Amino acid sequence: MSELKRRIKSVPLIDNSNDKVKENHKTPVQKYNQISLRLLSRVVVVISFIVIIYFTANNEKIKIFAKQSDQISGKSQYLKCSPQYLNEIDKFNGCVPHKCKRFVADTVVSLKDVEGLLSIAKKGFQYGRSLGGASILDLHSGAMSKGQVFINIYESPYMKQLFTEEDFNLYRSVKEKVKHTIATHFGIEADKLHLTSPTFISEMTSKEPVTLHDEYWHPHIDKETYTSFHYTSLVYLSNYNIDFTGGRFTFIDESFNTTIEPKKGRLSIFTSGHENLHFVEKVQSGTRYAMTIAFTCDSKYAIHDPSVKKYNIPSKTVK
Ligand SMILES: O=C(O)CCC(=O)C(=O)O
Ligand SMILES: [Fe+2]
């Protein structure tokens, strides 16, 4: 072994011999700093743990009831009706659901229907949409978002006769399919269900909101937002994660949330009471189209199907 190697070998790699002496010679400030550093690193570890556990636990609280890729012939999630809802609906014989629930089916509304409804939406929205992220086109009242307000498509000179008999027939036929699906799956009589207002096609994007009407993502109960509603139905006209991202529909429950991913032709129906608190996630990209068709059991809130007749009524009487 060369002299150099021998010397290297005899030198310890780490010299701890003076550590204890050094420790004892630390000033109180140095000791305090060392303790705070240890404490801080422990606090950081504990907080990271809590954050990880919180987010994992939160994810487990979301249940996907209907995935975009699923093809559902009919799926129900039963709920206890809220007392307010039961009290109110009880007086309408033949219209009380066997059970409150949410129901999804991908086999009621066809892709041809979807294309027709989308073409109605696009025909209307070419003449106006909201400046923010949410626009509506209500074929019954004629209300359509434009800038920061609503215009009446049946009063607008450049929109006269925009929608054809065929468009209105399509709307009526989809509405009838939905009505009979409610009757069958909620155990009620179809002729006790009346179309009610508002009934509209919505267009949602990720644009920043300009008015309160653009803030579609707030949790709400339909019966509170729209007094006349007893059964809410939604027909989705675009595909989650293909035509848009974000924008899933979620019911808020005590123990976990239930999410529906929109898909072309997907029909979602639910009782409109407090048992079905819900919200729509903010759309992150793309454009999301859906149609809301609601039914009431109370004939005083019944509305007529939209039809070309709307164009023939003197404008001031269009409701
Ligand atoms: O578009 C949706 O998925 C739901 C919209 C909604 O909650 C409503 O119109 O009350
Ligand atoms: Fe709603």
Side-chain angles (χ1 to χ4, degrees), residues 200 216 218-223 225-226 229 232 234 249 270 276-280 292:
F200 57 90
Y216 55 80
H218 296 296
H220 63 276
I221 291 151
D222 285 350
K223 193 90 194 69
T225 311
Y226 320 102
F229 283 29
T232 305
L234 296 158
F249 177 100
F270 50 91
N276 275 317
L277 172 66
H278 61 273
F279 70 98
V280 177
T292 300

Side-chain angles (χ1 to χ4, degrees), residues 11 144-145 183 223 281:
V11 175
M144 186 177 77
S145 317
K223 193 90 194 69
E281 284 174 349

Side-chain angles (χ1 to χ4, degrees), residues 122-156:
K122 287 173 185 171
K123 252 202 275 188
F125 289 133
Q126 70 180 307
Y127 291 108
R129 40 169 59 90
S130 158
L131 281 178
S135 306
I136 61 120
L137 167 62
D138 182 330
L139 280 186
H140 170 76
S141 70
M144 186 177 77
S145 317
K146 189 171 168 69
Q148 297 189 40
V149 294
F150 295 97
I151 57 163
N152 190 331
I153 55 169
Y154 300 122
E155 288 184 356
S156 172

